[in-house]
Amino acid sequence: MTATEHRLDVDRLLVFFGDHGRDLPWRRPEAGPWGVMVSEFMLQQTPVVRVLPVFEAWMRRWPRPADLAADSSGDAVRAWGRLGYPRRALRLHAAATAITNDHDGAVPSDIPELLSLPGVGEYTARAIAAFAFGARTPVVDTNVRRVLSRVVRGVDSVREPATPADRRELESLLPTESVRAARFSAAVMELGALICSAGDPDCDRCPLSGRCAWRAAGYPPTPARRAVQAFAGTDRQVRGKIMALLRAAHGPVAGSVIDTAWPDPIQRDRCVASLITDGLAVTDRDGGLSLPG
DNA sequence: GACCCGTGGAG
DNA sequence: TCTCCAAGGGT
């Protein structure tokens, strides 16, 4: 089967991407590898619309990895704002530091080297290699995974991390030429984000509807997914409230103020301790809590 | 492999 | 109000 014959029709997808792909700042040439990398960190589990303003401000302030590395991890966490999962900001700062120290300040293009950076896993490494450097490598996120499952295999997927099997499957469908392959991955991802969404796929606008195995099979039901993690009352919520206090302040926050974040002192103290362990907060000699300096 | 880690908009 | 979720990674 050639690249233009399989269900993920390359030409149709590239036309779709050209016509309907979003003009996102990290897709512009001026974003460069660093811009791609920053965007991939921010987009982990976070919607595009919320990333956009933070990304723009971030790139203005820290246009190169060395610029970020020169400032404190606390500055990165504060600039991260309310994107969520602030450990990503910590890891991005650590990755920028590693790039500055070990890679002459340039984002590496080699996948094993990318994987060695903090916060860069199987998805992010390949996304950077493909989108920033035009590498021919399978980029499989939850969107691509869903499209692969539906269009090619005819069954819906549960929302779980991509597997090596997913990557092998997409790789077998990649166009031969590397830049075209990278654009193909971006197009499949965009299709999953805009058309073949998890909730209500818009098959009427889908360029692949004529050859979609899932549609042809009459949309067999989505398998039950594992229960989503609860949030209300968990440490994640409490940590978030404490971090919001630290971001709002520009100096140490007194314990009496931290106490207002959550009523249960046991859980509150546990969360403060875990934030310190994670490197998201530090205590000063007076017992105040602040972002790392 | 199971579990942990934030956030705010949509239905 | 409440559930579900949105370009994962680390342990």
Side-chain angles (χ1 to χ4, degrees):
Chain A
M1 184 183 295
T2 71
T4 54
E5 290 172 341
H6 61 68
R7 290 183 184 272
L8 293 185
D9 186 294
V10 174
D11 292 320
R12 281 180 174 272
L13 280 164
L14 293 183
V15 168
F16 161 79
F17 193 49
D19 290 345
H20 303 289
R22 292 165 291 181
D23 177 28
L24 301 170
W26 46 85
R27 287 179 177 164
R28 298 172 194 152
E30 58 266 32
W34 173 236
V36 172
M37 179 169 165
V38 170
S39 75
E40 292 301 341
F41 271 70
M42 292 183 173
L43 288 164
Q44 291 168 4
Q45 304 286 283
T46 306
V48 167
V49 289
R50 227 172 331 160
V51 165
L52 283 170
V54 181
F55 174 84
E56 301 278 18
W58 191 284
M59 294 303 291
R60 278 195 301 274
R61 181 172 180 182
W62 296 302
R64 301 167 304 176
D67 300 318
L68 177 59
D71 281 341
S72 72
S73 59
D75 289 335
V77 171
R78 179 173 282 113
W80 196 257
R82 296 177 299 188
L83 284 183
Y85 293 140
R87 294 192 296 189
R88 292 182 293 165
L90 234 39
R91 291 174 184 144
L92 181 53
H93 180 269
T97 301
I99 289 170
T100 303
N101 294 337
D102 306 333
H103 299 278
D104 295 325
V107 176
S109 59
D110 180 64
I111 289 176
E113 289 181 0
L114 286 164
L115 285 170
S116 74
L117 298 173
V120 177
E122 296 289 352
Y123 162 76
T124 303
R126 288 173 174 77
I128 295 170
F131 303 152
F133 298 102
R136 184 182 186 277
T137 184
V139 183
V140 182
D141 72 336
T142 186
N143 285 311
V144 174
R145 182 177 151 79
R146 183 174 57 251
V147 173
L148 265 180
S149 183
R150 288 177 175 172
V151 177
V152 178
R153 297 201 299 275
V155 295
D156 202 358
S157 65
V158 294
R159 191 174 177 285
E160 287 179 350
T163 64
D166 294 322
R167 284 186 284 277
R168 281 194 299 273
E169 181 172 17
L170 186 68
E171 184 163 30
S172 74
L173 303 175
L174 288 178
T176 304
E177 197 278 313
S178 64
V179 172
R180 185 172 160 89
R183 192 168 172 80
F184 168 78
S185 287
V188 177
M189 193 177 304
E190 193 76 338
L191 185 77
L194 298 181
I195 303 291
C196 195
S197 56
D200 55 335
D202 189 359
C203 302
D204 292 339
R205 294 181 51 216
C206 180
L208 305 182
S209 60
R211 62 185 68 203
C212 175
W214 190 49
R215 179 177 174 86
Y219 303 112
T222 303
R225 62 167 298 183
R226 293 185 310 171
V228 296
Q229 292 176 302
F231 179 69
T234 63
D235 285 4
R236 288 162 71 194
Q237 182 182 25
V238 179
R239 284 165 56 105
K241 290 182 178 297
I242 295 170
M243 289 303 296
L245 289 175
L246 301 189
R247 285 195 306 268
H250 282 266
V253 179
S256 58
V257 176
I258 298 294
D259 290 349
T260 68
W262 194 253
D264 176 4
I266 304 290
Q267 187 175 19
R268 199 172 61 222
D269 290 350
R270 179 173 72 237
C271 289
V272 168
S274 73
L275 290 172
I276 293 170
T277 297
D278 286 350
L280 285 165
V282 296
T283 51
D284 67 2
R285 50 201 169 285
D286 302 321
L289 198 67
S290 59
L291 298 178

